[in-house]
Amino acid sequence: MTRRIALAILFSAWAVVLLALVLIYFVTRQTVVAELDESIIARAMALPRLAGVSQQGGVGVLPRGDRYVIRNELGQVIARPEGRLDNHAAPVVTNRKFVSMADGGRLRSITLSFALPASDTQPEHTATIVYSAPADAVDGLLQRMAILLGGVGVGGGLLIGAVAWGVSRAALRPLRLTAEVIGTIDERKLDRRVDAAALPSELRPMAERLNEMLARLENDFAQRKQFLADTAHELRTPVAAILTHLEVTLRRPREAAVLAEALRTSLSDVQLLRRLVDALLEQVRSDRPMTAAQMTRIDVSALLEQCATLADSLASAKDVRIVRTFAPGIRAYTHPVALQSMVTNLLANAVEYSPAGSSVELNCRLADGQIELHVRDNGPGIPPDVLPQIFQPFYRADGSHSSKDGHLGLGLFLVQSHAKAMGGRCDVQSTVGSGTTFSVLLPSAPPAAASNAAAKQEKANAAASMAEGSKVVMGS
Amino acid sequence: MRLLVAEDHPKLARSIADGLREEGYSVDLTMDGNEAGHLLSANQYDCVVLDIMLPGKEGWDILNEARGRGNRAPVLCLTARDTPEDRVRGLDLGADDYLIKPFDWSELVARVRALIRRAHGQASTLLRIGDLEINTLSKSVRRAGNPITLSAREYALLHYLALRAGQVVSRTDVWEHLYDQEEELSSNVVDVYIGYLRNKIDKPFDVKLIHTRRGHGYMLAAAGENES
């Protein structure tokens, strides 16, 4: 912006200078031509006097290149006027012009009319002198002046342009360098940063925001890359187990019992793989923000009861009780499939780490426009140093690196992923020796702008969401 | 040949161990990183199949410590991580080979075979001692062109002696390299198997290849190398 303003000012100044140069030219021309005219008139005025002096009817010596014609009233060319002119009324200039000659020269030609008084031989009459003098000197002067002024104008313009270009280029150098840096950034070079300090102060905040954005992207990309690498590992290991087992088994003839055992083992591995693939797909789906079309107003209490009933069988096998401490009839706007997945995962997790005879509490309430969900167990608790890691994908409490005992290590990761996608979050509080509480906070109403459209769609979506809700990853 | 398999996925570990045992190797199996480290320092293995992601101690650390102690057993790293950085790191830490899960069984076996061969300075899969030929691919043995049928144990013993042909191999060495830690062994098991081998390899022929160095052990050598 500054650059454009500076350029506009510079070029306006140049235009003013050009105008001045043109003015100077015309004023000078006017003056020079007027002087020439005066001299021509003076010479023309001298003619009759010369004529009077010369008895031969000649006009004496004219300045070089000068010529004249004298005509009488009738337009007839006469040799010379009768009588002396200089004593009579001043001549009237009736015409002045430049005349181009056949030989390329130019003449300034002035027509003067004289009123001649009556004399002894003539009655009162008028005569006209057309006096011409070479205009070469004036032309030459004006030409040199035009060249000089034109040169000054054009040269000044070029100089201004060059200076403006140079100055703006120098001023824009950091911007250009910044643009070059940005141009080189792709997903493998997200560690590059713009040198904010080298930029003009007005651009610095922009560069700093840009660097912050790059840092976020870099972090996000690194996480995704890690997740992908972890996923590859998680998928490859069971595949390797199946492949190796089948290959080794098939290398020799085996008894039917051995073959059956190989099939059983492979089947359970394939089932594990299927659960892993399902969980990964669910994660990929949950990685995007929920759209209004997927959300609907539901009876949250009923959904929680459903999840708790599902987990009851798992719990009773471990002599753990699931205690419901939520009121019936809590209604809220949410994503039923994701909510069910979160609650199921949290309950399965809590039951898993609960000692026999203890209970798991499932609590829910609406507060400040949010669904507050708590799953509390009386298990051994989680040491503070591993607490930040438990939401990481493929984290397993036993420190193992593979899903050998059916733990995918994706449960809590999915819970958090879902919560974030719904605009909420999942937190954990744990005391070693007394238990762990997972808290999920979710918005309970649609965003204001989307609420109308959402209300319209609600009924239509309810059916679709329920159909989708039939598949939930459990106990991962 | 005695191998160590360290792999924490139980089913995969068992399949690898079973498969390698069927290939005629003695296999020690562990699913824990620390145990793998102990086994590696306590025993002489002809090849180690090492998973990188082990609970307790990572494969990298096991490898690093073993090489630091001067352990030169060939190590085949087994991993589901296949980034170039991982491979470079493994090879730099002293792994001899690298195999990505899932792998072809025949490839794993071929690599183990190649690692053992190279560790003994053998480029070929065919071992020759005098007129005795051992094809390590088909596990077939011929002497003077006549095929000799050996049991898996006998073959393993002959193979080991052949890899160290011309050197005296102690009973303890044989023991260490041919039997895994689970096997109950009688003290003269090596002598018994040497006896079986002599019957099949040397008895029908005039030139004896298996020599006894009393108090030291046994040596497989062609006639000319006999007189040391």
Side-chain angles (χ1 to χ4, degrees):
Chain A
M1 223 45 220
T2 12
R3 180 187 178 216
R4 282 194 190 171
I5 292 168
L7 276 181
I9 291 172
L10 272 175
F11 281 98
S12 308
W14 182 48
V16 169
V17 168
L18 273 187
L19 203 64
L21 292 176
V22 170
L23 265 175
I24 289 170
Y25 175 78
F26 280 106
V27 168
T28 312
R29 186 178 189 273
Q30 203 79 28
T31 314
V32 171
V33 172
E35 263 173 33
L36 177 64
D37 286 359
E38 242 170 71
S39 127
I40 288 173
I41 290 167
R43 272 178 267 169
M45 293 289 283
L47 280 177
R49 200 167 42 199
L50 284 170
V53 169
S54 166
Q55 291 304 313
Q56 283 80 31
V59 287
V61 182
L62 281 177
R64 193 180 142 81
D66 283 12
R67 62 200 67 183
Y68 69 94
V69 177
I70 305 175
R71 293 172 200 276
N72 64 13
E73 255 172 314
L74 303 171
Q76 295 161 327
V77 176
I78 50 174
R80 59 175 188 268
E82 297 291 327
R84 298 172 64 92
L85 294 181
D86 50 346
N87 293 332
H88 302 284
V92 178
V93 175
T94 56
N95 195 10
R96 51 179 89 197
K97 62 181 178 189
F98 284 100
V99 181
S100 295
M101 306 293 289
D103 64 2
R106 286 218 313 162
L107 295 174
R108 179 70 174 175
S109 174
I110 294 183
T111 309
L112 295 166
S113 290
F114 297 90
L116 297 171
S119 65
D120 306 342
T121 55
Q122 291 268 314
E124 194 183 75
H125 68 283
T126 57
T128 310
I129 301 176
V130 180
Y131 193 100
S132 304
D136 300 347
V138 171
D139 275 351
L141 175 73
L142 289 177
Q143 206 178 346
R144 280 197 300 281
M145 187 154 176
I147 290 171
L148 183 72
L149 294 181
V152 168
V154 172
L158 287 178
L159 189 69
I160 287 170
V163 168
W165 185 76
V167 166
S168 66
R169 209 180 133 78
L172 291 178
R173 206 180 116 83
L175 263 189
R176 210 178 59 244
L177 292 179
T178 305
E180 271 170 23
V181 170
I182 295 171
T184 61
I185 294 174
D186 58 25
E187 82 264 19
R188 272 159 300 164
K189 293 172 190 149
L190 282 172
D191 56 335
R192 300 206 172 164
R193 294 290 178 272
V194 169
D195 184 5
L199 283 173
S201 57
E202 61 264 46
L203 292 176
R204 231 166 274 158
M206 190 193 74
E208 280 157 7
R209 293 302 95 72
L210 189 69
N211 282 342
E212 285 163 21
M213 181 190 80
L214 284 173
R216 283 196 303 274
L217 281 181
E218 187 186 9
N219 186 33
D220 198 46
F221 247 88
Q223 273 180 16
R224 271 161 205 268
K225 207 174 152 192
Q226 184 59 42
F227 179 67
L228 214 62
D230 291 344
T231 304
H233 176 263
E234 296 295 325
L235 287 170
R236 278 181 166 140
T237 306
V239 169
I242 298 165
L243 200 63
T244 306
H245 193 185
L246 293 179
E247 276 189 314
V248 168
T249 306
L250 283 174
R251 269 179 99 77
R252 274 154 221 241
R254 311 273 178 192
E255 287 170 20
V258 176
L259 292 177
E261 175 54 28
L263 285 179
R264 259 195 302 279
T265 312
S266 299
L267 182 63
S268 82
D269 281 336
V270 173
Q271 281 165 340
L272 177 79
L273 260 184
R274 189 192 60 187
R275 288 204 298 124
L276 186 58
V277 170
D278 285 347
L280 287 173
L281 284 178
E282 190 185 344
Q283 201 285 322
V284 170
R285 278 192 223 108
S286 75
D287 209 16
R288 285 167 280 179
M290 301 280 173
T291 61
Q294 297 167 301
M295 315 279 269
T296 181
R297 188 165 295 282
I298 58 155
D299 186 336
V300 175
S301 304
L303 187 141
L304 294 183
E305 181 52 48
Q306 205 183 320
C307 298
T309 311
L310 219 68
D312 271 338
S313 60
L314 204 66
S316 59
K318 283 197 69 182
D319 191 21
V320 172
R321 221 158 48 86
I322 295 177
V323 183
R324 287 85 155 160
T325 58
F326 51 88
I330 301 173
R331 291 185 65 79
Y333 175 86
T334 187
H335 190 294
V337 182
L339 184 63
Q340 188 182 356
S341 166
M342 286 191 281
V343 176
T344 308
N345 270 309
L346 288 176
L347 284 177
N349 205 55
V351 169
E352 166 92 27
Y353 293 103
S354 285
S358 69
S359 60
V360 169
E361 185 193 345
L362 176 60
N363 175 269
C364 180
R365 64 195 185 106
L366 288 182
D368 301 330
Q370 284 191 311
I371 305 173
E372 265 188 49
L373 196 76
H374 301 283
V375 177
R376 189 170 294 125
D377 68 48
N378 300 303
I382 305 164
D385 56 320
V386 299
L387 214 49
Q389 295 170 40
I390 61 169
F391 290 108
Q392 295 295 313
F394 306 115
Y395 173 80
R396 295 180 183 91
D398 62 359
S400 68
H401 295 294
S402 54
S403 45
K404 53 186 179 192
D405 47 4
H407 282 273
L408 298 180
L410 283 173
L412 291 175
F413 176 58
L414 273 178
V415 170
Q416 197 176 52
S417 200
H418 277 313
K420 279 183 182 164
M422 290 163 80
R425 63 175 207 270
C426 177
D427 299 318
V428 61
Q429 279 150 6
S430 188
T431 314
V432 174
S434 71
T436 305
T437 303
F438 283 95
S439 307
V440 177
L441 286 178
L442 300 171
S444 65
S451 61
N452 281 345
K456 269 187 207 163
Q457 284 224 307
E458 196 173 302
K459 276 185 187 164
N461 294 337
S465 298
M466 282 307 156
E468 202 188 323
S470 57
K471 204 164 75 180
V472 171
V473 179
M474 269 194 62
S476 346
Chain B
M1 301 295 115
R2 186 170 179 187
L3 311 184
L4 174 64
V5 172
E7 159 66 55
D8 77 324
H9 192 285
K11 288 173 186 167
L12 180 58
R14 217 162 296 127
S15 296
I16 294 174
D18 289 349
L20 287 173
R21 281 188 188 119
E22 284 186 0
E23 292 292 326
Y25 298 106
S26 305
V27 178
D28 290 345
L29 174 63
T30 175
M31 300 182 197
D32 177 81
N34 286 316
E35 198 190 345
H38 294 318
L39 286 171
L40 200 48
S41 62
N43 302 310
Q44 292 179 33
Y45 291 103
D46 294 288
C47 185
V48 180
V49 178
L50 182 65
D51 181 23
I52 293 307
M53 306 258 283
L54 285 174
K57 190 184 273 183
E58 294 236 320
W60 303 129
D61 300 329
I62 298 169
L63 190 55
N64 207 11
E65 286 172 20
R67 292 293 186 244
R69 284 193 308 267
N71 189 321
R72 294 175 60 193
V75 172
L76 170 64
C77 278
L78 212 55
T79 177
R81 295 199 177 273
D82 65 342
T83 61
E85 300 91 65
D86 281 328
R87 292 169 195 239
V88 169
R89 186 175 171 200
L91 295 174
D92 280 352
L93 279 175
D96 297 273
D97 204 349
Y98 211 94
L99 201 55
I100 308 289
K101 292 184 214 172
F103 46 84
D104 274 336
W105 176 250
S106 48
E107 189 179 355
L108 176 80
V109 175
R111 283 176 191 247
V112 167
R113 214 162 35 220
L115 284 175
I116 294 172
R117 203 166 64 227
R118 259 185 275 147
H120 288 94
Q122 287 285 341
S124 164
T125 54
L126 196 67
L127 299 173
R128 267 202 193 86
I129 296 98
D131 56 356
L132 179 72
E133 273 183 16
I134 304 171
N135 184 329
T136 57
L137 276 186
S138 61
K139 296 192 170 63
S140 59
V141 178
R142 283 165 179 272
R143 183 148 188 210
N146 306 311
I148 296 169
T149 313
L150 298 180
S151 74
R153 269 281 145 77
E154 290 161 0
Y155 174 82
L157 176 58
L158 181 64
H159 185 199
Y160 183 65
L161 291 174
L163 283 173
R164 302 184 62 179
Q167 300 169 27
V168 178
V169 180
S170 71
R171 279 186 188 76
T172 326
D173 271 354
V174 174
W175 195 310
E176 278 268 323
H177 284 273
L178 295 190
Y179 301 98
D180 61 49
Q181 51 184 2
E182 322 250 297
E183 285 172 285
E184 298 279 331
L185 295 170
S186 58
S187 59
N188 65 342
V189 66
V190 176
D191 300 320
V192 169
Y193 274 95
I194 291 284
Y196 293 161
L197 262 190
R198 279 201 159 119
N199 272 336
K200 293 184 176 179
I201 302 282
D202 277 350
K203 205 174 177 188
F205 300 92
D206 290 339
V207 179
K208 308 300 176 198
L209 296 176
I210 301 172
H211 312 279
T212 307
R213 290 275 176 273
R214 216 155 281 289
H216 295 286
Y218 303 97
M219 181 170 81
L220 186 67
E225 306 158 42
N226 196 353
E227 307 305 328
S228 56

